[in-house]
Amino acid sequence: MSQRELSDPSPDETNPIITALKDITAGSVGGVFQSLVGHPFDTVKVRLQTTSQYSGMINCFSTTIKEEGIFGLYKGVQSPLLGLAALNAVLFMSYGQGKEIVRPKGESLEKRLTVPRYFLAGGIAGFFSAFVEGPFDFLKCQLQVRYKEFNGFFDCAGKIIRGYGLKGLFQGFGATQLRNIPCNAFYFGGYEWSKNLLASPGQRVEDLEFWKLLAAGGFAGISYWGFAYPLDVVKSTIQADSANPQHKKYKGIIDTTRTIYKEKGVQGFFKGYTPCIVRSVPANAVCFFGYEIAKNFMNR
């Protein structure tokens, strides 16, 4: 998720372009850290969501390592790694613009928004980020589940584009939006709420200790995935389906939802939930760590 702005700009950051570039660069560094730590859990999550050959998280981990080696857990990692810069650029700018859209007219930029307004701004960011995140998520899911059909990220992207045009990269885009808008609302809103909660009496949230920022990041990760996990199952199932229209199993969001329920019951919408939640805390904590290191380095 992946790859979020940590705080409002400080009063000293007066140049919006430089501030945006710093946030984009620092967010990308954090996102790389997050992918390296969290991708194995994401691979397990997607495989549990889209196949029935594993009995659970531990079995999926052990089977993947046994059959494909440790790097089998990193299938499709090129997609999120390569997409982080573009995704974060859109996400950070969208979140910044979203905050200005929901900010009361005439209110100082230095004043923090209310938590509900952060929720709204996060939803706006989720909407626009989906236009970048969707294609990269699609390629990631294809490589994680249909890895025998492709020889890496660029081969996968090339085959999809040659066979089905750029439109082929947006398979499952509607489901991506359905997930992104509420999940990013809860991500940003949960992060800002937790910062308020963690602040000591009289302490500004801008002055929170580092461990509190890490804790807030971990909570934000849980907020993102905990709110609408079934929507992510539907999204991943559609994106892992064949790109060939003649071989598709699912016909859309409603058909996918009905099929999952018919074949697996309610529990089918929570397959892969454990590795996802287990991943969300350390991955987001590491993301914050990378972000802070990069931002502090650029502010020297």
Side-chain angles (χ1 to χ4, degrees):
M1 226 153 176
S2 312
Q3 67 245 8
R4 308 292 195 261
E5 184 183 14
L6 297 181
S7 62
D8 291 336
S10 67
D12 295 331
E13 293 175 313
T14 57
N15 189 316
I17 295 178
I18 293 177
T19 298
L21 289 174
K22 286 182 178 180
D23 281 339
I24 290 168
T25 302
S28 296
V29 171
V32 170
F33 282 28
Q34 183 182 38
S35 287
L36 293 176
V37 171
H39 193 78
F41 292 96
D42 189 69
T43 296
V44 171
K45 172 183 74 72
V46 171
R47 291 186 177 184
L48 288 173
Q49 286 178 337
T50 58
T51 69
S52 300
Q53 64 185 94
Y54 308 105
S55 60
M57 181 179 73
I58 302 300
N59 177 253
C60 186
F61 265 113
S62 61
T63 302
T64 299
I65 294 174
K66 181 179 179 180
E67 295 181 354
E68 305 168 45
I70 189 66
F71 291 108
L73 295 171
Y74 284 90
K75 290 283 177 67
V77 72
Q78 303 98 322
S79 184
L81 282 175
L82 293 172
L84 281 171
L87 171 60
N88 283 343
V90 175
L91 182 67
F92 283 48
M93 288 188 293
S94 298
Y95 184 50
Q97 290 300 308
K99 288 188 291 186
E100 297 315 305
I101 291 173
V102 302
R103 184 180 297 279
K105 187 176 181 180
E107 184 176 84
S108 171
L109 296 178
E110 298 178 13
K111 184 177 180 181
R112 281 179 57 78
L113 298 172
T114 61
V115 170
R117 293 184 186 275
Y118 284 118
F119 272 83
L120 290 175
I124 292 171
F127 172 80
F128 287 105
S129 67
F131 288 90
V132 175
E133 187 173 7
F136 281 98
D137 254 4
F138 165 68
L139 293 173
K140 174 178 68 67
C141 287
Q142 289 286 304
L143 288 166
Q144 287 174 325
V145 177
R146 298 178 175 274
Y147 52 90
K148 294 181 180 180
E149 300 177 17
F150 307 105
N151 186 28
F153 174 78
F154 291 106
D155 178 62
C156 179
K159 286 181 177 177
I160 296 296
I161 294 173
R162 286 193 299 271
Y164 314 104
L166 290 175
K167 181 180 178 181
L169 297 176
F170 285 85
Q171 180 169 308
F173 181 70
T176 300
Q177 287 285 19
L178 190 63
R179 180 203 68 175
N180 264 32
I181 294 174
C183 285
N184 277 285
F186 272 77
Y187 190 98
F188 287 113
Y191 177 70
E192 298 296 346
W193 175 82
S194 63
K195 287 201 299 184
N196 290 345
L197 185 67
L198 289 168
S200 303
Q203 183 182 32
R204 301 192 316 156
V205 295
E206 292 80 6
D207 298 327
L208 285 177
E209 294 86 349
F210 188 60
W211 71 266
K212 290 183 178 180
L213 288 177
L214 291 176
F219 179 79
I222 294 175
S223 298
Y224 183 94
W225 290 110
F227 169 71
Y229 187 80
L231 298 177
D232 187 68
V233 174
V234 173
K235 178 203 73 73
S236 295
T237 301
I238 294 174
Q239 290 182 322
D241 197 7
S242 174
N244 188 332
Q246 297 180 345
H247 297 156
K248 285 186 184 298
K249 178 179 179 180
Y250 307 100
K251 298 178 181 179
I253 296 174
I254 295 177
D255 177 64
T256 304
T257 303
R258 288 175 176 170
T259 302
I260 293 173
Y261 180 75
K262 182 179 179 180
E263 294 181 351
K264 305 173 184 177
V266 175
Q267 63 268 30
F269 294 101
F270 291 92
K271 293 194 69 176
Y273 185 75
T274 300
C276 180
I277 294 300
V278 170
R279 167 191 179 273
S280 67
V281 175
N284 280 281
V286 171
C287 179
F288 274 59
F289 179 74
Y291 180 96
E292 291 293 349
I293 287 178
K295 193 70 179 286
N296 289 337
F297 177 80
M298 289 184 289
N299 285 335
R300 287 179 181 177

